[in-house]
Amino acid sequence: MEDLPLDELMIREYLLDNPEFFNRYPELLLAMRLSHHERGSVSLIERRQEMLRGRVTQLEEEITSLMKIATENEKIFRFNSDLSMKILKCEDLGELRQVLSEKLKTEFGFTHVRLITVHDIDSELANIWRQRIQQGFYFGRLTQSESKRLFGSEVGSVALTKLSDENGQVIFGVASVDAAHFHPDMDHLFFQQIRDLLDHMLPKF
């Protein structure tokens, strides 16, 4: 805006301060012409209508995106509620592992679901614990060696989280065949809720 000539800047400021100006002088709307990269010269009214249509289209796309997110969030909420009820009814660790694995694989198509206890004598697992999951969560890809150590085979991408220290060194991990399914920018709320549930249940067994 600083590059505008003084008189143009004054006109701009005046029009911003007086949005009813063209209502008082409607003939100006018909007289003014704006360049258009496809249609050549168009009137100010035509240009405004075009901009409004573009804005409406943009808003419709944003609303559609928000509705899709809301639908996905509701799906995850219902899944978590159902999973929580089933896990709370588990009577031993074996049953909990089975319920957790079956539900997550069925609902999301994960290839592997693991609860892994880490011992310092196992240097590879210990390194994964200390480095990969240093911040409490890890989303992304693993090396071939790490994949085989955690899941017994190569996988596309993974989500890993540490359980609380009260449970010792335990990793909760899931894997997808899709290398792009889990990535570092993902929100970890979903896995945090499962982790909290596991933290509550494991000391009971």
Side-chain angles (χ1 to χ4, degrees), residues 44 56 59 62 91 93 101 105 111 142 155 159 161 164 204:
L44 185 60
V56 168
L59 290 173
E62 291 176 357
E91 297 183 355
L93 183 57
S101 180
K105 288 180 178 179
T111 55
L142 298 174
V155 297
T161 182
S164 68
K204 298 179 182 295

Side-chain angles (χ1 to χ4, degrees), residues 35-104:
S35 62
H36 191 282
H37 68 283
E38 292 180 353
R39 296 163 52 197
S41 181
V42 297
S43 72
L44 185 60
I45 292 178
E46 291 175 307
R47 181 59 175 152
R48 177 176 174 79
Q49 289 175 335
E50 181 181 340
M51 292 176 66
L52 288 174
R53 284 194 294 269
R55 180 57 178 156
V56 168
T57 300
Q58 180 184 352
L59 290 173
E60 288 176 343
E61 291 174 351
E62 291 176 357
I63 291 172
T64 300
S65 177
L66 289 173
M67 291 178 64
K68 182 179 180 180
I69 292 172
T71 300
E72 288 298 318
N73 286 341
E74 181 181 5
K75 177 182 176 182
I76 290 174
F77 172 77
R78 291 181 180 278
F79 171 79
N80 265 350
S81 297
D82 182 59
L83 177 65
S84 297
M85 293 303 298
K86 284 182 167 54
I87 286 181
L88 288 171
K89 294 178 181 178
C90 291
E91 297 183 355
D92 55 54
L93 183 57
E95 184 181 0
L96 183 148
R97 288 177 183 271
Q98 182 178 355
V99 168
L100 189 64
S101 180
E102 289 180 354
K103 292 290 291 181
L104 287 170

Side-chain angles (χ1 to χ4, degrees), residues 138-141 157-159 178-188:
Y138 175 78
F139 299 100
R141 304 184 66 177
S157 58
V158 303
D178 182 0
H181 187 94
F182 296 111
H183 54 84
D185 295 328
M186 287 186 67
D187 182 87
H188 56 64

